[in-house]
Amino acid sequence: MEITDTARMLDGAGLSAFLRTMPTKPLLLGLGEARHFVEELGELRNDLFRHLVEHEGYRSFAIESDCLRGLLVDDFITTGTGALDDVMEHGFSHDFGTSPANRELIRWMRDYNDAHDHKLRFFGIDGPLEYWAESPRQALIGLHALLDEPLPCTRETLDALLGPDERWTNEATVMDPSQSIGRSADAERLRVITDDLVALLDTQAPGLSARDAERAALYGRTAVGLLRYHAWMADTSPARWTRLSALRDAMMAANLCAIADHGPALVYASNLHLQRNKSLMAFGDQQLEWWSAGAIAGTRLGDRYAFLASAFGTVADDAPAPGTVEGALSTLLWDRSLVDAHRLAETVPLPDPRVSRDFAYFPLDPVHLGTIDGVVYLKEVVRLRQLG
């Protein structure tokens, strides 16, 4: 089999043809980023999402950004609430609101909804965290406000237990667990109250509007996830960073499964979060290992979850070596290709791993090609932002 037999030109028609080769239409189609802030990939993603909406019945877009901030974006595209500049500034985490491709996508989704009765939806899949985490205040207060009596505590009790947000968002806790309040008496009591609130939501859900029930569920799982994360921020065992990494991906997976309930969605996040195999990361003298969000969601959704990993040929002035997967793909005729990963694994059975000079670019791991449905390959990218 030749390398050209594994690939097709990547445009809307090519994507639709590829989807028809899959066992079933995926509810979640993951488009992974091999590197954040690559404008060529963002623009391609926009083209593909428009095609999926107009020809394949997709109605939701999800991105690796704060799930609570994402409510501002969803309100903007569904109801027109707010201004685009404000939404881009406050509706995204990780600086993703500064991406021109993201801004253009949100503008297009808003215009589409103006002209159609069946509205597109926007979701963030990440928790309100990075290495440190936000206060659970927004999630807990939001859930508390949507429920009826008898409540497990008053709003005043919640405020007192939460205290100033600064004691939750102290970035020094990243390296110093002793500064975390995640296992304090207040935090432990909040975990019990949160459990009671989530249980109460189960009993009151039939009386809520669809919008309120959806938001209450989001607030509930976010509050639970944040309090778990803060508790492990206070841990001093060697398992600390493995557990924190796993908890973050578990929060993403829970959001992904909730998004799937709304019908077919395109999910845009790092390859490392969407992959089906375990994530590995060197951290000091430790090797961290945990299951990614894609692996967890894929376990729950089966073949209704599909993963397209992105990969690049030349990144700025860094070209792949001929013996690597990316080097083999650079011989394809098209600037943008969609590759059947399973057939690619058979065609290039023993490739060398690529080593990139761009620390922000994560090359394809040839060992795991068989766990990927397809590879979105861009022969060259030059419009990227240096990170760090």
Side-chain angles (χ1 to χ4, degrees):
M1 186 186 303
E2 299 293 331
I3 191 76
T4 52
D5 297 326
T6 71
R8 66 188 81 215
M9 181 175 72
L10 180 52
D11 55 13
L15 178 58
S16 286
F18 183 84
L19 292 177
R20 287 194 290 272
T21 69
M22 305 195 73
T24 187
K25 182 177 181 178
L27 275 174
L28 295 181
L29 177 60
L31 173 56
E33 294 179 276
R35 186 197 195 279
H36 288 317
F37 297 111
V38 176
E39 281 301 299
E40 290 95 337
L41 184 61
E43 290 167 358
L44 174 61
R45 173 208 65 190
N46 291 355
D47 292 342
L48 296 178
F49 182 64
R50 284 192 288 266
H51 176 85
L52 290 169
V53 168
E54 294 168 352
H55 299 280
E56 299 292 341
Y58 278 61
R59 288 294 177 267
S60 298
F61 176 81
I63 191 171
E64 183 189 334
S65 182
D66 184 329
C67 58
L68 298 185
R69 291 194 192 191
L71 295 173
L72 294 175
V73 187
D74 190 55
D75 282 344
F76 175 74
I77 68 164
T78 56
T79 69
T81 302
L84 181 58
D85 286 345
D86 186 65
V87 165
M88 298 309 299
E89 181 178 356
H90 300 290
F92 291 84
S93 59
H94 314 323
D95 212 24
F96 291 150
T98 62
S99 162
N102 286 345
R103 184 183 185 90
E104 179 54 33
L105 177 69
I106 301 309
R107 188 198 307 275
W108 180 83
M109 292 177 73
R110 175 69 192 131
D111 290 345
Y112 181 95
N113 282 346
D114 279 342
H116 296 82
D117 293 331
H118 196 157
K119 305 303 183 186
L120 302 179
R121 297 292 306 278
F122 175 95
F123 299 96
I125 68 166
D126 205 354
L129 51 87
E130 185 58 62
Y131 291 109
W132 53 274
E134 296 284 355
S135 165
R137 177 183 304 280
Q138 181 183 355
L140 277 173
I141 298 302
L143 176 58
H144 187 275
L146 288 170
L147 298 175
D148 292 327
E149 298 287 351
L151 291 161
C153 71
T154 64
R155 166 65 187 272
E156 290 73 23
T157 297
L158 275 184
D159 283 333
L161 291 171
L162 287 163
D165 286 349
E166 290 76 13
R167 66 176 186 160
W168 297 92
T169 59
N170 178 8
E171 294 185 35
T173 58
V174 173
M175 301 307 296
D176 183 359
S178 68
Q179 297 201 42
S180 171
I181 66 164
R183 295 189 179 178
S184 65
D186 286 351
E188 293 294 343
R189 189 175 174 198
L190 283 170
R191 294 185 75 178
V192 174
I193 290 172
T194 300
D195 183 71
D196 287 341
L197 288 172
V198 171
L200 189 60
L201 172 60
D202 289 339
T203 69
Q204 296 186 5
L208 296 174
S209 68
R211 178 184 181 277
D212 284 350
E214 178 186 323
R215 294 213 168 182
L218 172 62
Y219 289 142
R221 63 179 179 268
T222 303
V224 168
L226 280 174
L227 286 166
R228 286 174 180 165
Y229 195 92
H230 278 289
W232 276 91
M233 287 291 286
D235 184 69
T236 58
S237 77
R240 181 180 187 240
W241 276 108
T242 293
R243 185 60 67 91
L244 288 170
S245 301
L247 285 173
R248 182 183 181 189
D249 271 83
M251 290 177 70
M252 289 188 188
N255 286 330
L256 287 173
C257 290
I259 291 165
D261 291 337
H262 295 277
L266 179 67
V267 183
Y268 190 67
S270 169
N271 284 342
L272 302 180
H273 290 306
L274 296 182
Q275 64 192 13
R276 289 191 178 93
N277 52 283
K278 277 188 172 180
S279 298
L280 299 172
M281 184 176 73
F283 190 83
D285 59 355
Q286 290 182 275
Q287 181 76 1
L288 308 185
E289 183 176 352
W290 71 95
W291 288 108
S292 68
I296 299 170
T299 299
R300 299 177 189 175
L301 297 173
D303 58 13
R304 305 307 300 272
Y305 176 73
F307 170 43
L308 306 179
S310 68
F312 310 141
T314 301
V315 181
D317 60 349
D318 182 18
T324 62
V325 175
E326 289 95 331
L329 292 175
S330 68
T331 64
L332 293 170
L333 297 176
W334 310 290
D335 292 333
R336 298 172 172 181
S337 304
L338 180 54
V339 186
D340 185 319
H342 301 288
R343 300 179 73 188
L344 178 63
E346 298 171 1
T347 306
V348 189
L350 294 171
D352 299 323
R354 179 180 181 179
V355 177
S356 176
R357 294 197 301 272
D358 181 357
F359 77 94
Y361 175 63
F362 291 88
L364 285 175
D365 186 342
V367 173
H368 297 300
L369 282 179
T371 67
I372 300 169
D373 295 298
V375 176
V376 169
Y377 183 73
L378 279 63
K379 187 172 290 190
E380 181 178 16
V381 296
V382 296
R383 288 182 292 132
L384 46 86
R385 186 187 309 172
Q386 295 299 328
L387 307 182

